[in-house]
Amino acid sequence: MPATSAIIDQLIDGPGFVLMPNLIDASEAAQARSRALEVAASPSAAAFGKLNEKIGQQHIRGLLAHGEIFERLVQHPAIIEIAEAMLGDDMTLGAYSARILYPRATEMGVHIDYPYWAMRGPFTLRPPLMTQVIWMLQDFTEENGATLVAPRSQLRCARPNREDFAREAIKITGTAGDAIISHGLLWHDTSQNHTSDPRVALLINYGLKVIRPLDSEIAKVPADVLARATPKLRQLLGLEFGNSLARDLKRGGLY
Ligand SMILES: O=C(O)CCC(=O)C(=O)O
């Protein structure tokens, strides 16, 4: 892998995304994939991730309640290093979910990520407000719904334009255990799943600590998960906000 500073340059001033290969092995990716599918099929799934029949996709939130593997993946050291270089070592989690594209799923629609889409603008590249990570829990192929991105579109600092996106978008294919990391202003979409297998990805929204999380339930994790949470997971859940502010105040010479 290139050095962290080179990756940050690519995320901000270059293509806007980087494919990080082989961060976990295929068996760990497969384990996370089957757990996500199990949760999606459970009777309680409607509470945290309804199927969108129109596009054939299901979006499952609240992953931290559904298995230790999801705790590990959200704090993978290689991902954390890059995301913190973008957002600071007090960044927090804005959302953490699985996106399942069932056979015949269609695009979800080109978009930029939260908080950008919830802002009036104008948008600025710096400081980045958000970084998205897409974990490939199986190979992403030309046929199964691999993520589409328009390289360098973050540089426009604008909401997506469908015609431009259709002209410029490329598919990011990769292998189970790879992850895509991107600037929140990058225009992106899912593609169609023409295979007979669901395509499963984990989506992580890391953001500046001062941004309200997209998922208002993000810090509501089960007591056993909280009890074993590492300092990093506590930070991601916003539970170290006070300590972080104390550090900011000190740095600013206020106390
Ligand atoms: O699942 C993907 O390939 C991308 C999904 C995505 O960008 C999103 O849900 O915001």
Side-chain angles (χ1 to χ4, degrees):
M1 279 303 291
T4 299
S5 59
I7 294 180
I8 301 304
D9 285 347
Q10 291 180 45
L11 292 176
I12 301 181
D13 296 308
F17 70 94
V18 169
L19 179 66
M20 300 182 68
N22 297 315
L23 296 185
I24 54 171
D25 63 34
S27 65
E28 200 173 2
Q31 188 194 336
R33 180 177 184 274
S34 33
R35 184 66 194 127
L37 286 169
E38 204 172 85
V39 173
S42 71
S44 51
F48 42 79
K50 273 197 228 139
L51 173 68
N52 181 331
E53 289 183 15
K54 197 168 152 211
I55 57 173
Q57 298 195 17
Q58 194 172 8
H59 187 219
I60 307 286
R61 296 177 299 118
L63 287 186
L64 288 168
H66 294 296
E68 219 187 324
I69 190 156
F70 300 124
E71 292 163 49
R72 284 204 300 278
L73 294 183
V74 79
Q75 45 186 333
H76 189 288
I79 297 282
I80 293 290
E81 182 174 335
I82 306 300
E84 289 194 343
M86 288 281 274
L87 302 163
D89 63 3
D90 48 9
M91 68 172 186
T92 51
L93 255 188
Y96 185 25
S97 57
R99 183 167 286 283
I100 302 173
L101 274 55
Y102 291 102
R104 293 183 300 283
T106 58
E107 294 87 353
M108 66 183 289
V110 58
H111 59 283
I112 49 179
D113 282 320
Y114 178 88
Y116 294 106
W117 56 251
M119 292 167 55
R120 288 185 192 164
F123 305 128
T124 56
L125 263 185
R126 288 187 174 77
L129 305 182
M130 181 272 179
T131 299
Q132 173 160 266
V133 169
I134 301 177
W135 275 106
M136 298 184 183
L137 299 187
Q138 66 206 85
D139 295 352
F140 273 29
T141 67
E142 287 292 334
E143 291 79 36
N144 74 352
T147 310
L148 289 164
V149 303
R152 302 179 69 78
S153 50
Q154 83 284 2
L155 298 173
R156 301 182 191 196
C157 293
R159 291 182 200 282
N161 166 299
R162 276 200 225 139
E163 290 72 40
D164 290 343
F165 186 73
R167 239 187 343 267
E168 296 168 23
I170 58 166
K171 257 180 214 172
I172 309 183
T173 56
T175 306
D178 295 352
I180 305 165
I181 185 158
S182 58
H183 192 296
L185 278 169
L186 185 76
W187 299 0
H188 61 286
D189 196 353
T190 52
S191 61
Q192 298 178 6
N193 184 355
H194 298 292
T195 71
S196 52
D197 268 335
R199 190 232 67 177
V200 186
L202 299 186
L203 307 173
I204 311 177
N205 174 314
Y206 297 106
L208 286 190
K209 72 163 184 285
V210 292
I211 291 170
R212 182 189 171 91
L214 170 62
D215 185 350
S216 53
E217 308 280 300
I218 197 83
K220 289 192 193 158
V221 296
D224 58 325
V225 176
L226 265 193
R228 65 175 178 247
T230 61
K232 185 56 63 188
L233 188 55
R234 289 184 54 81
Q235 167 205 324
L236 291 176
L237 291 172
L239 301 172
E240 299 299 335
F241 188 65
N243 291 335
S244 168
L245 286 186
R247 203 172 62 164
D248 295 337
L249 286 169
K250 213 164 173 184
R251 200 186 293 131
L254 282 169
Y255 292 100

